[in-house]
Amino acid sequence: MQIIRDIATLHRAVAALKQGGKSVALVPTMGALHDGHIALVREARRWADHVVVSIFVNPKQFGPNEDLDAYPRQEEADAARLFAEAVEILWAPPVEAMYPAGHATTVSVSGLVDVLCGAARPGHFDGVATIVAKLFNQVAPDIALFGQKDWQQLAVIRRMALDLDFALDIVGVPTVREADGLAMSSRNAYLSAEQRAAAAALPAAMRQAALTIAAGATADEALADARAAILAAGFDSIDYLDLRDEAALAPLDQAAAGARLFVAARIGKTRLIDNWPVVA
Ligand code: AMP
């Protein structure tokens, strides 16, 4: 596995991988890798001859009062895991390589970014769309893989790729969960033992609400119970808990094809997100 930190070397290495018409998959991450990330890498291997993983904690997708400085960084351990997966290239540029002095261009997807996490984190998805567009141009992969855990991110990236004519396939990989249902996330490392135990209430409440809605309850009824359960378990606040259409992200008030629950909730200083299908 080559660990690459500058764009010229990346271009040469990717060109070498592509020789003979070989395909390349890209898995963008912010590091602090867990089994959810590794599921993306393994899925990438099924689709392409070679796998490039990027690790870049992207300052542009963090708000002024968010956890950019505290975000877990453990590149050596991450590199060891990727080496074990036989990843060909780890692209881990410093901030100056991604955003050289004078960088002035932002990719902004409208509509989809105004709701859910976009409402609570203004500018977040502009940061995501900009960095993913740059990664797509840098690596020019045949396929890129993203987790369904960040459902809205996946929707924004699909829209961006379509609108800007990126000629690649985008694959959404199902959420990998801990044994108690909590979606794996680098941010779970922030949780104390007590908070970690309480956090399982989030998927449990969504699972219950999804069943209740599928059985005919309105979103208002089911989500009031789910909110109460999440707060009773020890969460401090809920940014949103919504039933929405999984493609357009428009609100729904009852079960429908493509209905999905979306949640963001805070426990201590940690903000956790998740989503869950409603199978009617
Ligand atoms: P991150 O490093 O958190 O930016 O995540 C990098 C990629 O891994 C994104 O496409 C995430 O959606 C995906 N990912 C993160 N957690 C999970 C998980 N538990 N299951 C599946 N994919 C995940």
Side-chain angles (χ1 to χ4, degrees):
M1 181 173 82
Q2 291 182 75
I3 301 179
I4 300 179
R5 302 186 193 280
D6 71 277
I7 301 224
T9 307
L10 178 75
H11 282 154
R12 279 198 300 276
V14 170
L17 287 185
K18 289 180 176 169
Q19 265 178 11
K22 300 282 192 203
S23 59
V24 169
L26 171 68
V27 178
T29 82
M30 298 204 300
L33 301 181
H34 50 66
D35 288 354
H37 297 110
I38 299 304
L40 268 60
V41 171
R42 292 188 181 161
E43 188 67 16
R45 178 68 65 200
R46 293 182 53 227
W47 290 77
D49 297 312
H50 299 298
V51 179
V52 177
V53 175
S54 63
I55 294 183
F56 183 65
V57 181
N58 174 27
K60 286 206 188 298
Q61 69 190 70
F62 287 77
N65 299 314
E66 294 185 354
D67 55 344
L68 174 62
D69 292 335
Y71 199 83
R73 290 162 170 89
Q74 45 170 65
E75 194 193 290
E76 226 170 287
D78 291 347
R81 285 202 80 170
L82 297 175
F83 181 80
E85 296 296 325
V87 163
E88 278 82 0
I89 294 177
L90 167 54
W91 170 222
V95 172
E96 316 80 71
M98 273 295 188
Y99 298 116
H103 185 276
T105 302
T106 298
V107 178
S108 187
V109 177
S110 58
L112 286 174
V113 306
D114 297 332
V115 299
L116 300 174
C117 282
R121 305 181 69 188
H124 168 69
F125 286 115
D126 287 358
V128 170
T130 303
I131 201 69
V132 171
K134 285 171 68 70
L135 289 166
F136 285 178
N137 281 327
Q138 290 165 352
V139 177
D142 299 280
I143 178 169
L145 298 97
F146 297 87
Q148 293 180 359
K149 190 210 145 221
D150 300 285
W151 190 277
Q152 186 175 16
Q153 168 172 284
L154 180 57
V156 168
I157 289 165
R158 283 191 197 282
R159 185 75 253 167
M160 189 261 303
L162 202 63
D163 291 353
L164 296 184
D165 304 299
F166 282 104
L168 80 176
D169 290 321
I170 292 173
V171 169
V173 177
T175 303
V176 178
R177 297 178 180 277
E178 304 283 359
D180 64 1
L182 182 66
M184 288 189 184
S185 165
S186 307
R187 290 191 166 100
N188 293 352
Y190 299 153
L191 301 173
S192 69
E194 196 185 338
Q195 291 170 337
R196 171 63 191 81
L202 206 59
M206 277 197 303
R207 181 170 164 275
Q208 183 56 50
L211 289 172
T212 315
I213 292 168
T218 65
D220 280 353
E221 289 160 359
L223 296 182
D225 290 347
R227 296 179 80 87
I230 291 165
L231 295 172
F235 278 82
D236 296 294
S237 61
I238 298 173
D239 277 4
Y240 59 77
L241 175 56
D242 292 358
L243 180 69
R244 289 178 180 263
D245 172 75
E246 63 183 21
L249 304 183
L252 295 172
D253 46 25
Q254 58 189 38
R260 203 165 185 98
L261 289 168
F262 295 87
V263 71
R266 292 176 195 265
I267 185 161
K269 290 191 171 133
T270 308
R271 182 175 181 279
L272 298 178
I273 63 169
D274 205 347
N275 62 88
W276 201 276
V278 174
V279 182

